[in-house]
Amino acid sequence: MRLSILLFGLAQAKYIVPGGRWHDTDGNLINAHAGGVTVDKEGKFWWFGEYKPQNQVEGGGVSVYSSDDLATWEHHGLALQPIPDHPFISPKNIIQRPKVIYSEELDKYEMWWHADNSSYGLLLQGLATSDTIGGPYTFVDATAPLGNWSQDFGIFTDYKDGRSYSLYSNGDRKEGRDVYITSINETGTGLDEVIHRFDKFDLEAPTIIQTDNSYYALMSHKTGYRPNNVVAFRADSLSGPWSQPFTVAPLNTRTYNSQSGFSLKIKGKKATTYLYLGDQWDSNSLWESRYIWLPMDINDKKKTLDVVWHDVYDLDVKSGEYKAIKGKEYRGINAKTTGNAFKQEANFASDNVILAGISGNDSTVTFEGIEGSGKPQWVSFYYQNTDDMGFGDQPGGSPDRIGGAWQLRRISSVVVNGDTKNVQTLYQRDTHKGIILSTPLQLTLPKGKNNKITVGGLWNGFDIKGADLDRIVVYPAEK
Ligand SMILES: *[C@@H]1O[C@H](CO)[C@@H](O)[C@H](O)[C@H]1NC(C)=O
Ligand SMILES: *[C@@H]1O[C@H](CO)[C@@H](O)[C@H](O)[C@H]1NC(C)=O
Ligand SMILES: *[C@@H]1O[C@H](CO)[C@@H](O)[C@H](O)[C@H]1NC(C)=O
Ligand SMILES: *[C@@H]1O[C@H](CO)[C@@H](O)[C@H](O)[C@H]1NC(C)=O
């Protein structure tokens, strides 16, 4: 397919769709969580992340994928393979948040990660090396950084001098709760000195993005696998002084239901795009967790950084530009309802109306007159889920609370043109009350203007209600 694109000189348009099910070139779900992307000398992108086995056991190792466009990913298996009974990389160990840097001195690639036992009692940094970027990587050691604890792990490389820095939170105990920036030494195999400590903010999942004039350090609060409002600090220099933290996405969206972890600067011929690479965890099924990759609007004059939502966008890594793709909107006010589904007044929704009471296969809403192309198309479902995170043992509990019950998810079923043999499942994570977010599904709508999309609850053996729907947006097929 790539060949024919080159032969006919057509622009490639593989879209980035935050929160969608992303497949590799073999058609499998991409399984590379809390990872990082390293660019090789040829400009190829290498994505390393936690491989989460389907049975949810930790220590699946580190998977690696490569791409020329950040949208089409080829799988290269495990870059770091777990070794049974190994003290640090056995299938029972925690192998989290892997990052890879290149050491010019050694002409080797160095993989670093949070190395631990299953109860997070060790709090170490692991190191493995390889002669080739794709691996396999060979375990070297797991150590305490300058004698201290290290939990959530990140790496930042300064493009001005090529120097890399280890970023890590130092655990949950009272003596910890800091985030460190510590310089990595010239060979990339050890640490030099602490550059800055973000004292007692009790944040984690750190990443730093660099502009021409600033450094922005993004971190999340600590709420396990549940999302919260990610914050950033700004500074002229890595050693500070750093600003007060500020939120990076509209409040109460919990950073569009994602956690920070990595960021990437795409400097092209025409523009620079800063990308936020977040994780949308699913604690009931970690291996299926999604990826929320979004552009950041950074204004160094105003000293602001905003992660900006787009359902579907096209990033050109050569020019450095990205374009939000325009879709066709179908409003809830025009949808048909059955059973107990109904249109309810909601002054925060489109046309002041939201579709509520969706459940089973008899209380549904149907959007009609939908134009399809006959090819797979992304469809974004704009919804509200009012369950909030305090469901269960914490009624009305705060979303940023640690140790609470996992949220009750809303899951809808989606059926095209009444074909109930082909039911698609739509996960609709919590939003706050009055907050509408979107989540995408790829659907094949027959060519023509008369398609129907019906949304119900989940009824295949479970009985889970759907979230309230505002509207759907149908995007053009990828060319
Ligand atoms: C993890 O390591 C800590 C510190 O050595 C130890 O106290 C704890 O029991 C270990 N946990 C497991 C599950 O081995
Ligand atoms: C270890 O961590 C604690 C808590 O952040 C800090 O007080 C101490 O100075 C650290 N030691 C070193 C060598 O960084
Ligand atoms: C970096 O640290 C490692 C581990 O302590 C050490 O083996 C290596 O020699 C150090 N490299 C330099 C250039 O100091
Ligand atoms: C609707 O759901 C019920 C179970 O609640 C099931 O028995 C029935 O077959 C479903 N109908 C269709 C058309 O799938």
Side-chain angles (χ1 to χ4, degrees), residues 81 124 145 233 281 421 443 475:
Q81 183 106 33
L124 303 174
F233 303 77
W281 295 109
K421 288 202 185 70
L443 299 175
Y475 289 92

Side-chain angles (χ1 to χ4, degrees), residues 441-460:
L441 260 192
Q442 203 170 30
L443 299 175
T444 301
L445 300 161
K447 203 173 169 70
K449 294 190 172 173
N450 251 324
N451 294 294
K452 292 180 186 172
I453 292 181
T454 300
V455 183
L458 195 69
W459 75 84
N460 54 351

Side-chain angles (χ1 to χ4, degrees), residues 87-321:
F88 300 109
I89 54 167
S90 88
K92 286 184 188 143
N93 283 109
I94 282 185
I95 304 171
Q96 288 181 350
R97 300 192 176 274
K99 308 287 177 298
V100 169
I101 51 173
Y102 174 66
S103 160
E104 227 167 270
E105 277 72 12
L106 304 179
D107 189 25
K108 278 186 191 298
Y109 292 90
E110 326 275 9
M111 178 188 289
W112 289 87
W113 68 94
H114 165 212
D116 221 319
N117 66 15
S118 60
S119 60
Y120 291 78
L122 301 177
L123 297 169
L124 303 174
Q125 292 180 3
L127 172 66
T129 67
S130 170
D131 291 334
T132 54
I133 188 164
Y137 285 74
T138 306
F139 179 82
V140 176
D141 207 356
T143 52
L146 305 177
N148 241 315
W149 305 305
S150 178
Q151 192 162 328
D152 271 11
F153 180 79
I155 283 188
F156 164 68
T157 301
D158 194 314
Y159 76 82
K160 286 183 177 161
D161 59 8
R163 194 75 198 256
S164 289
Y165 298 83
S166 175
L167 315 172
Y168 47 100
S169 56
N170 61 351
D172 299 335
R173 54 192 112 175
K174 218 168 97 199
E175 304 78 17
R177 303 183 186 171
D178 309 314
V179 171
Y180 279 84
I181 304 176
T182 300
S183 53
I184 297 180
N185 72 17
E186 295 289 332
T187 40
T189 53
L191 299 187
D192 268 345
E193 56 170 334
V194 172
I195 301 297
H196 182 75
R197 187 168 81 206
F198 295 93
D199 228 13
K200 304 298 169 220
F201 284 102
D202 207 7
L203 298 167
E204 64 182 7
T207 181
I208 291 180
I209 188 88
Q210 180 182 20
T211 61
D212 288 341
N213 301 308
S214 296
Y215 300 87
Y216 295 84
L218 281 74
M219 301 168 207
S220 82
H221 296 84
K222 290 182 178 172
T223 49
Y225 285 117
R226 291 157 299 164
N228 57 61
N229 294 307
V230 167
V231 295
F233 303 77
R234 196 208 68 86
D236 296 335
S237 142
L238 283 175
S239 57
W242 286 87
S243 75
Q244 283 275 324
F246 55 90
T247 50
V248 300
L251 271 176
N252 292 333
T253 67
R254 301 181 183 115
T255 328
Y256 315 109
N257 267 333
S258 75
Q259 183 178 32
S260 51
F262 202 68
S263 51
L264 204 52
K265 178 177 179 170
I266 309 295
K267 196 174 162 71
K269 291 198 184 86
K270 291 191 189 156
T272 300
T273 290
Y274 301 97
L275 281 184
Y276 165 88
L277 276 56
D279 292 283
Q280 183 169 72
W281 295 109
D282 182 344
S283 72
N284 296 329
S285 188
L286 282 176
W287 71 279
E288 279 187 290
S289 298
R290 313 281 174 91
Y291 313 100
I292 303 287
W293 289 13
L294 287 167
M296 294 186 269
D297 268 359
I298 299 183
N299 185 328
D300 272 340
K301 274 213 183 91
K302 292 185 177 159
K303 305 180 192 304
T304 57
L305 178 154
D306 294 286
V307 180
V308 188
W309 180 264
H310 296 288
D311 287 342
V312 177
Y313 62 98
D314 189 8
L315 174 67
D316 180 342
V317 297
K318 296 276 181 307
S319 74
E321 296 166 307

Side-chain angles (χ1 to χ4, degrees), residues 327-340:
K328 195 163 174 192
E329 189 173 278
Y330 301 87
R331 296 275 182 91
I333 199 167
N334 301 318
K336 296 238 161 77
T337 60
T338 64
N340 295 323

